[in-house]
Amino acid sequence: MDKIVVTGGVPLEGEVRISGAKNAVLPILCATLLADAPMEIGNVPHLHDVRTTARLLGGLGAGIGHDIEGGIVRVDPRTVDSHLAPYELVRTMRASVLVLGPLLAKHGAAEVSLPGGCAIGSRPVDLHIKALEALGAEIVVEHGFIKARAGRLRGGHVAFEMVSVGATENVLMAATLAEGTTTIDNAAREPEIVDLADCLVAMGARIEGAGTSRIVVQGVDALQGARHDVIADRIETGTFLVAGAITGGHVVATHARPDTLEAVLGKLLEAGADISVEGDRVGVDMRGRRPRAVDIVTEPHPGFPTDMQAQFMALDCIAEGTGTIDERIFENRFMHVNELMRLGADIQIDGHRATVTGIGRLTGAPVMATDLRASASLILAGLVAEGDTTIDRIYHLDRGYERIERKLSGLGARIRRIS
Ligand code: EPZ
């Protein structure tokens, strides 16, 4: 099993190129199932989860061409002849549930394994099921599978009692081929939803209001093939900006979308960083300064993103003062706390709130990654801890960050992968 070793103490300097967004490319690859012709997706990041999704689509019978270096995935959905998303794939990536809506809308049938729990909480799919039933799907959950059937889906009214990114994406995709109009209230507003909608519109879908909490879809009879380039990854961008801030360096992210991470930029300013924005470039400058501790409350977009919570906890660990971190989206997203404490961090947990008292120095130690963003926070802490920090189980990291150690080395970090 690969490990990553980080030797702390180097202020990061330089530019880093941001890849396409994991949380946009996964639903967009699932949306290709809706088309009557081949699709070409560009700016695809080189991630384990992308390979898993390609395997999932291939398993359904779609033709797949994956030019990893070129960042292009071609999908020919015309040969889809199965509607089964098997447990061995779904349990490694819960986003597999996003084939449910497209398969139902296009083929009238879907059998998707329940995702099972994951490190950051139980993460049910009840909101996905209720939303698709509102469009006329008949769904039973038995023997660990979601079994769904439908004639032609009918447009309906979906009012989510809580915001769910995945459930919004599933019903948005299904509604594009339903008969009549679908209104989705309390929809998730993440930029990845907007990017999915842009791709669907390029295929001929009729969608209004993506990015707001009310989305209206006029169903059409068929969707064509299209080429779509995936939006830049705002969480990867935020992670590298925190890397610049935590090491007291100066980092510029390029090929980014600064307009999609305003809450994160606001917190970096509060921490005392200088922020520069110029087109698709966004920079953080913390040279010669120690960050000030900030308070974080995670919320649905445009609030502060839960996927940046662990990274800011690492920043607070070495900041001036005390910061509180209130995780409101997931019930168990503090798995990184015990590992950060092994590096000397001073963190108290009370339910979904962590209180972090900044200390002058962390010391390197062997730690273990538990989920994707927790892994990132351990690397960030390792960048400033004295000595070596060895991070184990970094397959979590490879799911969502494209070649992170290469990109960090390019900024001067002393980091290496060992098998
Ligand atoms: C998406 O997960 C992202 N994943 C997550 O990123 C992200 O943290 C999350 O949205 C919140 O922004 C992808 O886009 C592939 P939700 P998703 O449905 O769709 C509860 C990362 O690190 N819920 O918005 O699964 C759920 O338990 C990953 O890149 C239900 O109760 O998140 C959670 O507490 C981690 N019933 C809350 O809603 C449901 O049917 C928000 O979940 C669905 C969700």
Side-chain angles (χ1 to χ4, degrees):
M1 210 173 317
D2 284 1
K3 295 183 181 182
I4 278 187
V5 182
V6 190
T7 307
V10 178
L12 301 190
E13 290 274 349
E15 292 190 357
V16 59
R17 179 176 178 139
I18 299 303
S19 304
K22 168 179 89 77
N23 292 348
V25 69
L26 300 185
I28 284 168
L29 286 173
C30 295
T32 63
L33 294 169
L34 294 163
D36 281 350
M39 295 278 299
E40 188 172 280
I41 311 299
N43 197 31
V44 173
H46 176 35
L47 301 175
H48 188 73
D49 276 7
V50 169
R51 290 193 296 280
T52 302
T53 306
R55 278 202 355 253
L56 173 63
L57 296 179
L60 295 171
I64 302 290
H66 193 173
D67 166 6
I68 291 180
E69 288 316 310
I72 293 174
V73 174
R74 292 178 183 83
V75 181
D76 185 347
R78 292 174 297 185
T79 48
V80 167
D81 57 5
S82 159
H83 310 137
L84 171 67
Y87 177 58
E88 57 275 4
L89 276 180
V90 178
R91 71 186 166 88
T92 65
M93 186 186 69
R94 68 173 263 111
S96 309
V97 72
L98 295 174
V99 298
L100 187 58
L103 285 174
L104 256 183
K106 190 81 176 87
H107 299 280
E111 205 165 316
V112 178
S113 167
L114 279 173
C118 72
I120 59 178
S122 59
R123 298 179 73 187
V125 286
D126 55 312
L127 299 174
H128 297 244
I129 290 170
K130 263 186 233 157
L132 293 169
E133 285 174 336
L135 302 192
E138 289 154 33
I139 300 180
V140 292
V141 179
E142 56 185 14
H143 307 301
F145 275 87
I146 305 164
K147 295 179 179 171
R149 305 189 54 69
R152 180 166 186 193
L153 291 174
R154 293 184 317 279
H157 181 222
V158 176
F160 283 115
E161 69 252 34
M162 67 183 283
V163 173
S164 161
V165 172
T168 300
E169 290 166 342
N170 243 332
V171 74
L172 170 62
M173 290 187 283
T176 59
L177 290 179
E179 180 137 30
T181 304
T182 296
T183 302
I184 307 169
D185 278 326
N186 202 18
R189 301 170 53 189
E190 272 67 6
E192 293 75 31
I193 305 257
V194 177
D195 201 38
L196 171 62
D198 289 348
C199 176
L200 290 166
V201 167
M203 295 159 69
R206 296 173 56 195
I207 301 170
E208 301 286 330
T212 74
S213 53
R214 165 168 282 200
I215 303 176
V216 180
V217 184
Q218 304 289 346
V220 294
D221 293 336
L223 292 175
Q224 291 71 43
R227 155 90 195 213
H228 180 80
D229 288 342
V230 171
I231 192 173
D233 193 318
R234 63 193 167 100
I235 305 303
E236 185 194 22
T237 308
T239 303
F240 280 112
L241 293 180
V242 172
I246 200 170
T247 56
H250 178 213
V251 168
V252 177
T254 66
H255 299 82
R257 277 286 304 273
D259 61 308
T260 61
L261 65 160
E262 282 169 5
V264 170
L265 297 181
K267 283 297 171 184
L268 285 169
L269 282 169
E270 231 181 276
D274 290 331
I275 296 291
S276 60
V277 173
E278 195 187 327
D280 70 355
R281 299 162 63 87
V282 53
V284 64
D285 188 347
M286 191 70 97
R287 284 173 292 190
R289 268 163 286 172
R290 181 182 176 188
R292 288 193 298 272
V294 293
D295 295 336
I296 301 286
V297 178
T298 63
E299 294 173 305
H301 193 76
F304 187 91
T306 173
D307 293 347
M308 282 300 303
Q309 177 256 106
Q311 296 90 316
F312 269 80
M313 187 181 287
L315 187 64
D316 273 354
C317 286
I318 51 94
E320 185 87 44
T322 296
T324 58
I325 298 200
D326 199 343
E327 173 55 58
R328 298 251 175 106
I329 303 292
F330 289 107
E331 76 261 21
N332 178 27
R333 204 171 193 176
F334 284 149
M335 308 285 277
H336 41 289
V337 169
N338 290 335
E339 300 306 307
L340 288 169
M341 289 167 76
R342 287 177 46 72
L343 305 179
D346 177 355
I347 306 172
Q348 305 290 329
I349 291 191
D350 171 15
H352 55 73
R353 169 168 299 177
T355 302
V356 185
T357 303
I359 57 172
R361 62 192 266 276
L362 295 173
T363 54
V367 288
M368 190 173 75
T370 51
D371 67 271
L372 170 54
R373 308 304 173 181
S375 322
S377 78
L378 296 175
I379 286 194
L380 294 174
L383 289 171
V384 289
E386 224 161 76
D388 284 357
T389 297
T390 304
I391 298 140
D392 200 354
R393 301 195 181 180
I394 54 158
Y395 56 84
H396 292 290
L397 204 61
D398 296 333
R399 290 190 51 186
Y401 288 95
E402 178 176 288
R403 302 189 181 105
I404 195 165
E405 72 274 11
R406 279 196 212 167
K407 291 190 176 184
L408 285 170
S409 302
L411 294 170
R414 285 178 294 187
I415 182 170
R416 64 189 190 283
R417 181 181 289 248
I418 52 178
S419 294

